[in-house]
Amino acid sequence: MKKQIANWGNYPVMESNEESFAFHEQLNQLLDEEGDFIPRGNGRCYGDASLGQRTISTLKYDKILSFDPATGVFECQSGLTLDQILEVIVPRGWFLPVTPGTKFITVGGAVASDVHGKNHHIDGSFSNHILDMDVVLASKKVITCSTRMNEDLFEATCGGMGLTGLITRVRFQLKKIETSFIKQKQIKAGNLEELIRLFETYHQYTYSVAWIDCLKKGEQFGRSILMLGEHARLSDLHEKQRQDPLKLPKKKQINFPFNLPSWVLNAFTVKAFNYLFYVKNFKREINNVISYEPFFYPLDAILHWNRGYGKNGFVQYQFVLPLEAKPGLIEILNRISDKGLGSFLAVLKVFGKQESIISFPMEGYTLALDFPIKPGLLEFLDELDQVVLRYGGRLYMSKDARMKPETLQSGYPDLGKFKDIVRKYNPEAKIHSLQSDRLFLTPN
Amino acid sequence: MSTVLILGATSDIGMAIARKFASRKFDIQLAARKPEQLQPLQSDISIRFGRSCSIHAFDALNYGSHASFFNSLVPRPDITICVFGILDEEELAFDNWTIAERMINTNYTGAVSILNIAAKYYISQHDGTIIGISSVAGDRGRASKLIYASAKAAFTTYLAGLRNKCFREKVHVMTVQPGFVYSKMTENQPLPKPITSTPAEVADIIYKAYGKKKNIVYVKWFWRYIMLIIKNIPEFQFKKMKL
């Protein structure tokens, strides 16, 4: 059916013919048909990665195939979303090995973006926990791959934005938990220097992330809240929590019912928001035990929060810089603060080492910020790209809607190898997206 | 422990109904023409809800097999839900009797054949529920749904008659009249979002209506009134309309 589709940033929007399948046989029929396509999950990447003239949705291909509560090995079809997985595994004492800041993504999307979470410095990205998976090529051939089988396909599919083939089945290892609660520590940092020191001090924490007020200048430049967490042990819970230690959080969601007019977000309102966010933590340090839901998925509580940026949409800009490039981080934050283009929140996180050819994470600092689409924004982001590259960093394709092919090329040293593998498994380039066309990942 | 039989379990609505009833502690029997396609759903239901879930081969057009199919079910289901149905290109069906006949026989004849068998069993038990998924299309004949609508009209009428026949025997028959539903059947049609349901919504409404022992349920409720208006357009006017 022809319809207007967009990903989470509502930018860009395009008309696409969306088809779906619930059975392998139906997928084969779709692959027999004429027409290029791009696989698509829940549309929670931000930019143009899963957009194309024709999209094949995995959302109906969402069955759990096996789950062993003794070993935590979980196997499912690729259209299953993480929120549904949590409902099944948490009450039985297991958790996702890696989760991004939303649970409304499909497993296929988690692999195609090779998502990371607050525990990247300890546990790596999602692909590190995959035991094996099936990829269906445009030729209908099904190939099982892992780190030990068809390794090249595996490497180029993890983080490969769906360009090698359609991921249909994934088997991965879950993480054992004693309780569904998180023992949280929040620390206020007065400025960026202090924040980076705190990250170093608390690097042994499994989960860590900081929210930065990037509009503050002078002494308070980079003031922020560092959020640390560990899965709570049974002994960490108070009596009431202990009655049901593997409790699932209640589903309460507020819907953002319409697009906010774009003037609502301006330097003043963003400053006010950031101020409130910072001062709501009255004490310098907070220690408590909370449900996993607000710790991992604070924004999932507001359905369609992306509408807050207006109907023009927004882009999320996420880059990573090597650890030694701290001046680069300062330079970029300064430029954003000077420009006053406004971002609700900037999220800073330290990545650990990662070996992969096309996945985004590499050891260093990663910063993510939202920018509502406004005149002059794209030019400004091009300038930021130059700073990122100058310091040896790169951008995250899952967030991207606008980078230039040269930017990608400079940031990913193994890009040539990636393209070769894509060409091997997708030789006629029947699978391509708006993004892969823009970035010359597939021949135009 | 109650068991639900879903006839046409590979349809989008069938799968949604299976999950809904399993989530409410019903055991599930999935039946479809291609049972091998149902294995993932079977594991999904067992893992998610910890319910027993079995797979059965069932061909609506093979009437002769229906009795042995139903009698082989262990246990016999407490609720039989008839979901299967097909919608072919009406222009093709008008030209080609094979297509028209298959549409009539799947949507009507096959459904009558199996539900007669289920109903006889329930009457003998003085207990049981039959739920038939018909369509609002059956509420009035029109050019663009010539064969489909007439077959669904016949099915709706059959369910009403069956309800009347079974009532004194403590067997309940519920007619479900979905309007637009996002499903494989309608994937290539542009549907107006405000009056279109998802298969999960259809399943929720059916489950609730089952609990309340409703006779006829429209999905969603306003379709009752949309169809009331459509049914009341005078024929001399209706025949001139392009619908």
Side-chain angles (χ1 to χ4, degrees), chain A residues 365-386:
Chain A
Y365 299 103
T366 180
L367 191 76
L369 320 98
D370 294 345
F371 291 101
I373 300 287
K374 278 181 191 163
L377 174 71
L378 298 178
E379 293 78 1
F380 174 62
L381 295 181
D382 286 341
E383 285 172 34
L384 292 188
D385 288 354
Q386 292 312 311

Side-chain angles (χ1 to χ4, degrees), chain A residues 1 17-23 25-26 29-30 60 62-67 74 77 80 84 88 92, chain B residues 10 12 15 19 34 36-38 40-41 43-44 47-50 182-184 186-191:
Chain A
M1 184 175 70
N17 192 13
E18 196 174 61
E19 298 174 288
S20 65
F21 62 101
F23 309 104
E25 199 182 323
Q26 288 173 344
Q29 284 164 9
L30 294 178
K60 283 189 196 167
D62 64 346
K63 313 297 179 297
I64 301 173
L65 301 174
S66 70
F67 169 41
F74 189 91
Q77 294 176 339
L80 187 67
Q84 298 182 63
V88 174
R92 297 179 212 187
Chain B
T10 49
D12 289 326
M15 289 192 275
R19 277 183 174 164
K34 295 178 181 167
E36 67 283 359
Q37 288 190 331
L38 288 168
L41 183 62
S43 63
D44 186 83
I47 295 165
R48 277 187 204 233
F49 309 111
Y182 292 114
S183 69
K184 200 73 202 166
T186 57
E187 195 165 66
N188 297 314
Q189 302 170 15
L191 298 175

